[in-house]
Amino acid sequence: MTDAARRPRVLSGIAATGTLHIGNYIGALSVWAKEQDAYDNYFMIADLHALTIPENVYADDLRARIREIVALYVACGLDPQRSVIFRQSDVSAHATLAWILGCATPVGWLERMTQYKSKSEGVSASAGLFTYPALQAADILLYQAEYVPVGDDQRQHVEITRDIAQRFHHLFGDVFTLPQPLIRDSGARIMGLDDPSVKMSKSLAGLRDGHAIGLLDSPKTIHRSVMRAVTDSGSQLDPEHISPGVKNLLVLFETLTGFSREATLAKFAGQGYGALKREVAEVAVEKVTEIQAGYRSIREEDTAIDRILASGAQLAGDVANTTLDAAMRATGLR
Ligand code: AQP
């Protein structure tokens, strides 16, 4: 047994739907990178998930986006020697198990998913958007992952994955490990700069200037977005009355610097929101500049991305196909 195989396994991923933002970094990527030695790591680029809203997909964009995300994974600290980095669609077991799990998933469970409700509002939603929790359950269960490190918005998806696995076990017998979410205490839900009542998201970043801090944004754009961030009608930081927009700025500052809430309040108490925004912009630019330096050097030798994906497909495929085989035997398909 290798050293990695003795560690608990984690699986996570990011949908290839837009340019990654600081919420993806703080809530997911930074945690994955920091904890790499504690786990046996599988991180995917969720390209199949990008098709759930097909009106937003342009083939050349998606192809480019996938490579961009691989490079950003590495630039954010994922080490291909210590983490298996792979493209979801390279491992066909994901789609096969998604079908099997979809057949074991009651429609009522899918109707309750908040992400489906919010994303289907006012549009003609695809069947893929509706059933995608079954695909996400397949993503996780194929790897027998004990933990799924994600932001807070994904809690419900890990819960439904457990429910689907248990229903499958009830119907066909035990095959899967029941996963648990790994969610950081603070920073698990970074909110939109332009609207602190919604979480910062890739899709909204593509639609609204000043919504997000993109990991590939220029320092000028980051400064502008942060300085325009919505706060409240006050002008100074009052520790007794912290509005959602100000709280978001505090969380950004704290997660990027390691400052505690107490130390942050002491630093900014009595100061205008402008001072807080300037510091947040500065630490965000510093972090993003560091990530972009790594990103550029990976992109200089683009064949490295092909090598990472080829090796990831092989390693991920070996694990996933073993689980798929067990699931197919349990159902009688094998
Ligand atoms: N705002 C956030 N704060 C903290 N963590 C976040 N995550 C996402 N947003 C935040 C975490 O990042 C990982 C990838 O999530 P995703 O692929 O669902 O990305 P998204 O930014 O949530 O994108 P959209 O546009 O909202 O959704 P899609 O791409 O489906 O259209 C997850 O671990 C997530 O929790």
Side-chain angles (χ1 to χ4, degrees):
M1 203 189 245
T2 66
D3 193 32
R6 274 193 292 270
R7 298 182 203 136
R9 184 168 291 160
V10 297
L11 175 290
S12 201
I14 297 187
T17 46
T19 297
L20 307 197
H21 52 74
I22 204 102
N24 299 133
Y25 175 75
I26 294 171
L29 274 161
S30 68
V31 179
W32 307 350
K34 185 159 163 263
E35 302 289 337
Q36 266 173 121
D37 289 328
Y39 297 106
D40 178 22
N41 310 285
Y42 287 77
F43 298 117
M44 65 175 180
I45 293 89
D47 56 351
L48 295 176
H49 287 285
L51 300 183
T52 52
I53 305 183
E55 294 81 1
N56 296 347
V57 177
Y58 302 96
D60 286 342
D61 275 1
L62 180 55
R63 268 187 283 272
R65 189 79 67 204
I66 290 163
R67 301 181 75 77
E68 181 181 289
I69 297 178
V70 176
L72 279 171
Y73 275 11
V74 178
C76 288
L78 293 190
D79 172 2
Q81 302 303 322
R82 290 184 289 158
S83 292
V84 177
I85 296 172
F86 68 101
R87 173 169 47 193
Q88 183 187 28
S89 67
D90 278 340
V91 181
S92 58
H94 288 249
T96 311
L97 186 63
W99 174 257
I100 295 171
L101 295 179
C103 292
T105 306
V107 165
W109 293 3
L110 300 173
E111 283 170 341
R112 285 202 296 272
M113 298 305 286
T114 52
Q115 202 173 84
Y116 173 71
K117 286 192 221 159
S118 66
K119 289 196 173 175
S120 60
E121 220 171 90
V123 298
S124 159
S126 70
L129 184 66
F130 185 59
T131 60
Y132 111 77
L135 176 58
Q136 192 162 345
D139 299 337
I140 298 167
L141 298 175
L142 277 174
Y143 296 87
Q144 307 285 3
E146 275 112 320
Y147 297 104
V148 188
V150 280
D152 184 56
D153 58 306
Q154 290 294 327
R155 193 185 292 273
Q156 196 187 24
H157 283 109
V158 182
E159 275 162 16
I160 197 175
T161 296
R162 289 174 65 91
D163 292 343
I164 293 171
Q166 280 170 315
R167 178 137 168 85
F168 180 98
H169 290 169
H170 175 72
L171 292 168
F172 302 113
D174 289 5
V175 170
F176 306 114
T177 302
L178 295 187
Q180 292 182 47
L182 261 189
I183 299 177
R184 58 184 295 166
D185 292 337
S186 166
R189 189 179 282 261
I190 301 296
M191 309 309 281
L193 295 174
D194 60 338
D195 178 0
S197 70
V198 300
K199 96 178 170 90
M200 188 178 283
S201 88
K202 285 184 247 110
S203 315
L204 286 179
L207 299 173
R208 307 199 313 225
D209 258 5
H211 169 77
I213 298 172
L215 296 185
L216 296 177
D217 279 354
S218 69
K220 198 170 152 201
T221 302
I222 294 173
H223 269 283
R224 201 179 48 225
S225 305
V226 176
M227 294 314 288
R228 283 185 0 205
V230 169
T231 49
D232 54 55
S233 57
S235 58
Q236 287 192 342
L237 185 64
D238 173 1
E240 300 300 317
H241 300 100
I242 297 176
S243 63
V246 174
K247 181 171 173 222
N248 197 36
L249 292 171
L250 293 176
V251 170
L252 280 168
F253 182 80
E254 290 157 7
T255 48
L256 292 171
T257 60
F259 270 53
S260 65
R261 174 58 53 88
E262 205 183 9
T264 308
L265 289 178
K267 181 173 166 63
F268 293 107
Q271 292 202 48
Y273 291 153
L276 173 62
K277 288 178 173 179
R278 270 193 297 282
E279 292 261 3
V280 169
E282 206 165 291
V283 294
V285 166
E286 202 175 303
K287 175 50 71 188
V288 165
T289 304
E290 180 191 310
I291 292 170
Q292 288 179 10
Y295 177 80
R296 275 195 302 275
S297 86
I298 296 151
R299 297 299 324 234
E300 264 164 31
E301 206 221 325
D302 235 28
T303 51
I305 293 176
D306 299 309
R307 286 199 300 275
I308 290 169
L309 287 175
S311 146
Q314 180 76 50
L315 294 167
D318 287 349
V319 176
N321 287 325
T322 302
T323 307
L324 178 64
D325 189 59
M328 292 179 87
R329 281 174 195 282
T331 53
L333 290 166
R334 283 271 193 283

